[in-house]
Amino acid sequence: MRVLKETLKYPSPQSPPSPSQVTTSSSRTDTVNGSHEFKISGYTLSKGIGIGKYIASDTFVVGGHLWAIYFYPDGKSAEDNSTYVSLFIALASEGTDVRALFELSLLDQSGKARHKVHSHFGRALESGPYTLKYRGSMGYKRFLKRTALETSDYLKDDCLLVQCTVGVVKSQTEGPKIYSISPPPSDIGQHFGQLLESAEGTDINLEVDGENFPAHKLVLAARSPVFRAQLYGPMRDHDTRWIKVEEIEAPVFKALLHFIYWDALPDMQELAGLSSKWASALMAQHLLAAADRYGLERLRSLCEAKLCEDVAINTVATTLALAEQHHCLQLKSVCLKFVALPENLKAVMQTDGFEYLKESCPSVITELLQCIARISEHSVVSSGYGSEAALDGGDVIGRRVKARVY
C-alpha cells in the first residue's frame, strides 16, 4: 500500500499584509484668551477699608465663563499687616470646573510701558493650568508693597489701572476633511427683498396712516403668526385684499416690512429722516414694540441689542419703560445700571422721559433705587468669599512666580 502525504503550505512571515484602510484624527488643546481693564479711582479713599476686603470689577466673559477682578487695598492676609496690596481674579459663573491661565498687570501711567506683570503665559507649568470652581479665585496676596505703589507711576491722579488676561483651556478633536467646499452665504433675504421692492405678484394692500404698502399674503403669514391668523385663521378678515393697520406709524411699518422680507434691520436714521443717534434709538423703540405686536422674535432681539448699544441720557428713561412693558430683561438691566451710575442719574432725572417712566412704570423706580444701592455698596467694598489660591510670590501649589516689569 502506498501512503500519500499532503504537504500543507502556510504563508511565510515575509508575506505583506492585505491592504487596510487607516483613518486619522487629531486633538488640539489651546486657550481662549480675553482681557479686561479695571479702572480704580479714589485709591486714597479706599485705604483703610479693612484687611481681606476688596473692590470688585464688573463681571466679564472669557471662554464662555464669567470672571471678575478683586483688588484688596489693605491686602488679603492679616499676617502682612496691610504692607501689600493684593490682586486676584475670580470665577464668577456657575457650572463645571474651569482650567485656566491668567495674567494680572498694574499699568504704568507715565507712558513708559513699565507695567507690573504677574503672568502664567509663556512659561512651563509643572502641573499644568489651574483649576477653579465656582467663586474660586487665584492671584497674589503680595502683589506690590503699598509704599512702592504710592510712589510709583502706577498711581496717577489717585487712580489705578489694572488689566487682567484670562486664558480658558479648551480641547477639540478633529478628523480629516476630504473636501473643500465654501458655500456662498444665503441670499434668500435679498431675493425676497427684491420681490417687495418690485411689488411683483402682490395680493394685499396694507393701509397705514394714509399710506399704502403692497405685499404678499403668503410671505406675511409665513413670517408672522399674527398675520397668519389675520389672513388665514378662522377669525380672518372678510376682505384680505385690503387691511387697515391701526396704532402704528408708516415709517415704523415700512421698517417692519423691510425686516419681514429682507430678514435684516433697515437703516434707522434714513427711515426716521434724521441723522442722529437719538432718532435711530427712537425708531428702534417703536420697531421693538411692533415686533412684539406681530410676534417677530428675531426682530425683537435685534432691536433690543441695538437699544442696549445706543443707551444715552436723553433716551434711556423711555427705553427702560419700553423694556419693562415688553419684558426685555437684558435691555432693562442695561438701562437700570446706566441710570444708577452717579454721573448719569441727575441728568436722566431731568428728562421728560423720566417723568413718563415714573407715571407708566412706578415699580421700576423701586428697582432703580435697589440698583443704586447695590452699585454704591459694590463700588465701596464687599467681603471676600469662596475658595481662593493665594500667590504671595509663589502660585497655588508653591511654584515660584517672579513678577515681570516691562
Side-chain angles (χ1 to χ4, degrees):
M1 178 184 291
R2 191 187 288 181
V3 178
L4 298 177
K5 293 184 179 180
E6 184 178 357
T7 304
L8 297 177
K9 293 184 178 180
Y10 296 94
S12 65
Q14 290 78 23
S15 301
S18 58
S20 61
Q21 184 180 6
V22 177
T23 59
T24 63
S25 65
S26 62
S27 175
R28 179 178 177 84
T29 300
D30 212 337
T31 57
V32 177
N33 300 336
S35 299
H36 182 79
E37 188 172 292
F38 181 29
K39 182 178 181 181
I40 304 169
S41 301
Y43 163 76
T44 304
L45 295 175
S46 72
K47 292 163 58 178
I49 63 175
I51 296 171
K53 295 183 177 180
Y54 60 79
I55 297 172
S57 72
D58 198 0
T59 55
F60 55 97
V61 179
V62 179
H65 302 279
L66 288 173
W67 304 86
I69 301 170
Y70 292 168
F71 175 71
Y72 298 77
D74 291 337
K76 186 172 178 59
S77 177
E79 64 187 22
D80 291 328
N81 197 27
S82 300
T83 304
Y84 296 87
V85 295
S86 304
L87 196 58
F88 280 70
I89 176 70
L91 177 63
S93 59
E94 299 184 34
T96 59
D97 296 351
V98 180
R99 298 176 67 235
L101 302 175
F102 71 98
E103 178 176 282
L104 289 165
S105 306
L106 198 55
L107 301 185
D108 178 5
Q109 300 187 70
S110 68
K112 300 175 183 176
R114 292 180 58 82
H115 310 307
K116 178 76 171 178
V117 181
H118 287 277
S119 180
H120 293 96
F121 290 93
R123 69 180 184 87
L125 295 174
E126 295 176 6
S127 300
Y130 304 103
T131 300
L132 275 80
K133 299 181 182 294
Y134 172 49
R135 290 186 175 177
S137 62
M138 51 188 177
Y140 299 88
K141 291 191 297 183
R142 297 177 177 178
F143 189 85
L144 185 63
K145 281 191 173 182
R146 287 211 316 190
T147 52
L149 170 64
E150 291 167 6
T151 57
S152 71
D153 290 326
Y154 307 128
L155 184 64
K156 180 180 179 181
D157 298 329
D158 208 28
C159 170
L160 298 171
L161 289 178
V162 175
Q163 187 176 77
C164 176
T165 298
V166 179
V168 177
V169 178
K170 300 276 188 179
S171 296
Q172 184 177 0
T173 300
E174 295 181 349
K177 290 184 177 180
I178 59 174
Y179 63 90
S180 178
I181 301 174
S182 299
S186 172
D187 54 3
I188 188 171
Q190 183 178 0
H191 291 160
F192 275 93
Q194 292 169 351
L195 189 64
L196 175 66
E197 291 180 351
S198 68
E200 184 178 352
T202 56
D203 54 2
I204 184 174
N205 272 296
L206 300 123
E207 183 185 338
V208 184
D209 201 17
E211 188 172 343
N212 286 325
F213 294 92
H216 306 80
K217 287 190 282 188
L218 281 175
V219 176
L220 299 179
R223 298 285 279 156
S224 164
V226 176
F227 275 128
R228 188 183 311 125
Q230 191 173 8
L231 297 172
Y232 295 104
M235 303 296 291
R236 63 181 177 273
D237 295 342
H238 295 296
D239 185 2
T240 58
R241 293 172 299 175
W242 177 88
I243 292 179
K244 187 172 185 178
V245 181
E246 305 283 358
E247 299 179 356
I248 187 170
E249 297 178 358
V252 179
F253 191 81
K254 185 176 182 180
L256 185 81
L257 273 185
H258 183 283
F259 174 81
I260 285 176
Y261 280 81
W262 288 90
D263 197 40
L265 284 176
D267 187 322
M268 299 292 197
Q269 293 182 359
E270 181 181 336
L271 281 172
L274 297 170
S275 59
S276 68
K277 277 195 171 183
W278 175 83
S280 177
L282 189 62
M283 175 61 73
Q285 289 177 355
H286 287 296
L287 192 53
L288 188 150
D292 205 20
R293 172 179 171 179
Y294 285 99
L296 299 169
E297 288 300 321
R298 173 170 151 76
L299 177 58
R300 184 179 184 273
S301 296
L302 288 172
C303 291
E304 184 177 3
K306 182 165 184 61
L307 288 169
C308 284
E309 295 171 1
D310 294 341
V311 173
I313 295 291
N314 57 348
T315 58
V316 66
T318 52
T319 299
L320 179 53
L322 181 80
E324 172 70 6
Q325 293 160 357
H326 294 275
H327 310 290
C328 301
L329 300 183
Q330 292 192 58
L331 179 58
K332 179 179 177 180
S333 176
V334 168
C335 291
L336 283 172
K337 287 183 178 180
F338 181 88
V339 177
L341 290 174
E343 60 267 31
N344 296 334
L345 182 59
K346 185 176 179 180
V348 173
M349 291 178 66
Q350 293 173 345
T351 63
D352 294 336
F354 191 78
E355 292 300 319
Y356 171 75
L357 176 66
K358 289 193 298 182
E359 294 173 5
S360 61
C361 307
S363 63
V364 173
I365 302 301
T366 302
E367 294 182 64
L368 176 59
L369 292 173
Q370 292 171 347
C371 189
I372 293 170
R374 282 197 302 271
I375 287 180
S376 299
E377 180 182 352
H378 186 67
S379 62
V380 176
V381 64
S382 299
S383 295
Y385 51 80
S387 58
E388 68 264 342
L391 310 183
D392 49 351
D395 58 21
V396 282
I397 56 174
R399 298 177 297 214
R400 299 297 298 174
V401 181
K402 185 177 180 181
R404 301 204 308 269
V405 177
Y406 294 126

